[in-house]
Amino acid sequence: MIDHNIPYGHQYITDEDVKVVIEALKSDYMTQGPLIGQFERNFAEYIGSKYACMVSNGTAALHLCAMALDIKSGDKVITTPITFVASANGFRYLGAEIVFCDIDPKNYCLDLDKLEALLKASPKGTYKAVVPVDFAGYPIDEERLRKLADEYGFAIVVDACHAPGGSFIDSKGEKQMVGNCKYADLTCFSFHPVKHIATGEGGAVTTNNKSLYDKVALYRTHGITKDPALLEKNDGGWYYEMQGLGYNYRITEMQAALGISQLKRLDWSIERRNAIARKYDEAFAGTIVKTPFRAENITHAFHLYVIQVPAEQRKGLYDFLRANKIFSQVLYIPAHTMPYYRQFGWKEGDMPVAEAYYKHCLALPMFPSLTDEEQEWVIAKVKEYFNL
Ligand SMILES: *Cc1c(COP(=O)(O)O)cnc(C)c1O
């Protein structure tokens, strides 16, 4: 019997994490110091991208990608309805028209067959960007997306907020880390406490494209640069130029210190999350509780462990678990049914697979510090509810 709350996700902070944050606090810099650059180098090295730009949160990362791509009012951008609304909002900030495309019933990510059909139905160049989401930590097929991008002329911005540490094997048999941008133009990450790396608030953009990176870095800090290579003229050591209208989307040194420390445990976290997933898989195999699919060629990052249960019992299960202090979660309410997005003409019925997914889904507790005892309690309560 467990008598404390079990959330669906939770940060894991060690004594070492606390120590490095205190050291950062006692250093000369609270922001714009050396730890941010260190975190960027370490993250880029781990992910395998040329550049990483640390920012204040994942939403800022998405907004900066849209700015770097010069998205303008009325530009069409495709994304999935099964995501946190920020995936679409980052592009809406610049006035983009969001076009939702339904999900794959197997992996719950953007359905690339449906995407291809959508692309085929309009002249090439109609869509400026496609923003797939590695939903729950499932790495999307970036290689196929690259072929479509080359054919139809759009930029790929992967929202990988769920998937740092995830990877896939491409058709050449090579392992590609999510975010290495072998096939994508830009990739976004979040360091919100429920995500793999938790810095309170925080995010990152990765890319291999110098010009996109320069723009992301520029707009992160007001559109201001001091880089001699980018200045129009140079009056002296104090001189800087504001070359565009940017934001203050910086991360702090304390957060960077925390991120550097947690990045060291990311591989362990992915392994632990996969072990938890396998235990859930085994517990529910052959029952009406449908467990998540994995293709052979992917390493799932398991930000979420989402089961599908009969629609008429989903609310009952959610309430029953809650009564037992287990805080499962429904993720996500389809974005196209949000009042804000309905004003553009989207409505229930437009995305049948996403809407069916929403009626059946429930995310069970999934975080690396979930104990065996806690997980067994969750499993026992789900089984009890269904009389398994
Ligand atoms: C968390 C998340 C974001 C936004 O990240 P924040 O750091 O909270 O701004 C964007 N997209 C997805 C899919 C997310 O899960």
Side-chain angles (χ1 to χ4, degrees), residues 286-308:
T287 72
I288 51 164
V289 176
K290 196 178 148 206
T291 58
F293 165 82
R294 273 90 101 191
E296 293 271 301
N297 70 326
I298 65 128
T299 296
H300 203 304
F302 277 114
H303 163 55
L304 304 171
Y305 186 90
V306 181
I307 54 169
Q308 294 259 306

